[in-house]
Amino acid sequence: MPTKKPAKKSARALTPPQKLTPRARKLAIEGVPAAKARTIAATEPVSPKIKRGRTIKPTSPERVAAILDALAKTYPGVVCALTHRNAFELVIATALSAQTTDVNVNKVTPELFDFFPTPKALAAAPLEEIERIIHSTGFYRAKAKNIKAAAQVLVDKFKGKVPETIEELILLPGVARKTANVVLGSWFGIPSGVVVDTHVSRISQRLELTKSTTPEKIELDLQKIIPQDRWINFSHELIHHGRQVCIARNPKCTDCTLEKICNSLDKTWYSH
């Protein structure tokens, strides 16, 4: 897919979650308490609808701004939920997060990086030992093979340093555009694109920000309406919101800061 030239580094990348105080980390990842969320929701404008499930001008700048405002207030100081101390660890942790939870990844990476703290060490690691450590993340054989190979490419092609462009990052085995966007945004502070996972896909469709169904097309749609300086935070806010509140089968609409803005057909509660 066509890509924009990576932007220059922003003022800051996202803080690794382990560097936050427990309270700040809880707010940044789990969001504000339900009572506070309802208070925030009450201050947001109602998005007028044509009928249930169809919003008038769903991608208007005013509505998009309201969505971004509510999300920023819900997840103050938002961070990536994956524990990491450097770009290399974030590449590996993000690759391991496929088809599992960040909580599960955070349980295995301390041992993994204690034994193999650098690309050179991981590239030389016995495959069986990597598989043992990451077994609980699922698809462990394929993941072990990919992260070992990715470490080898970092050593051979990039002198052990994580590159700072999407075009180079996706040369690493097991690293696709989503992982590249996470690393560039969260560690380097480069808004290279919008991270589109299952939560971002689902909630973007619920909010009528896109009608597309593939991650590539959804990302392009979102990039057209979300200001570039919000791409990094927006992705993480929506991911956290999908895990905490806007759950696939039973969204917690009564506790959602976006409730007045959202007109989704599968809402479990309506205030308007």
Side-chain angles (χ1 to χ4, degrees):
M1 61 181 289
T3 59
K4 293 184 178 181
K5 185 177 181 180
K8 293 181 179 180
K9 291 185 181 182
S10 62
R12 70 173 186 88
L14 297 185
T15 303
Q18 72 274 13
K19 289 191 175 183
L20 299 176
T21 65
R23 180 179 181 276
R25 180 173 181 169
K26 185 177 179 66
L27 282 173
I29 295 174
E30 298 182 19
V32 298
K36 176 67 173 177
R38 290 191 288 271
T39 300
I40 293 171
T43 68
E44 296 297 336
V46 172
S47 290
K49 54 192 173 186
I50 301 171
K51 61 180 181 179
R52 184 174 173 181
R54 285 191 62 192
T55 301
I56 298 174
K57 298 180 179 179
T59 60
S60 68
E62 295 79 13
R63 184 169 184 265
V64 170
I67 290 170
L68 296 177
D69 176 70
L71 288 171
K73 290 175 179 175
T74 308
Y75 303 96
V78 70
V79 295
C80 172
L82 293 167
T83 300
H84 59 282
R85 295 170 295 186
N86 51 55
F88 165 65
E89 290 188 357
L90 185 54
V91 167
I92 301 304
T94 307
L96 292 176
S97 69
Q99 304 298 316
T100 191
T101 66
D102 290 348
V103 171
N104 202 16
V105 173
N106 288 341
K107 289 179 180 178
V108 306
T109 48
E111 182 181 4
L112 182 68
F113 297 135
D114 184 46
F115 279 102
F116 314 115
T118 64
K120 185 176 181 179
L122 186 59
L127 192 60
E128 296 77 10
E129 184 66 4
I130 300 174
E131 290 176 352
R132 179 191 67 79
I133 295 172
I134 70 168
H135 187 277
S136 64
T137 66
F139 303 97
Y140 65 95
R141 288 194 175 90
K143 288 181 180 180
K145 182 179 179 181
N146 279 337
I147 64 174
K148 179 178 169 69
Q152 190 66 61
V153 173
L154 285 174
V155 172
D156 294 342
K157 191 174 181 64
F158 300 107
K159 298 181 180 180
K161 292 186 64 176
V162 175
E164 298 182 33
T165 69
I166 281 186
E167 291 77 12
E168 291 174 311
L169 276 168
I170 61 176
L171 296 177
L172 305 179
V175 174
R177 185 175 176 87
K178 184 189 80 170
T179 296
N181 279 336
V182 170
V183 175
L184 291 173
S186 297
W187 185 260
F188 294 110
I190 299 173
S192 56
V194 177
V195 175
V196 178
D197 74 343
T198 55
H199 299 295
V200 175
S201 297
R202 173 170 49 79
I203 299 175
S204 295
Q205 291 164 348
R206 273 182 171 168
L207 291 172
E208 302 170 82
L209 299 180
T210 180
K211 294 181 181 179
S212 300
T213 57
T214 66
E216 296 80 9
K217 290 182 179 179
I218 290 171
E219 182 180 6
L220 288 176
D221 289 344
L222 294 176
Q223 286 179 170
K224 292 175 184 176
I225 59 175
I226 306 296
Q228 190 172 14
D229 63 0
R230 286 287 277 115
W231 287 358
I232 299 170
N233 285 7
F234 172 76
S235 298
H236 289 291
E237 289 161 355
L238 228 56
I239 289 168
H240 298 337
H241 204 60
R243 291 170 177 160
Q244 312 296 334
V245 180
C246 195
I247 300 165
R249 294 187 178 181
N250 190 28
K252 300 177 182 178
C253 297
T254 55
D255 301 330
C256 181
T257 51
L258 298 171
E259 192 278 325
K260 289 173 66 177
I261 306 170
C262 177
N263 292 315
S264 176
L265 274 174
D266 61 353
K267 286 177 67 172
T268 55
W269 181 80
Y270 283 84
S271 66
H272 61 286

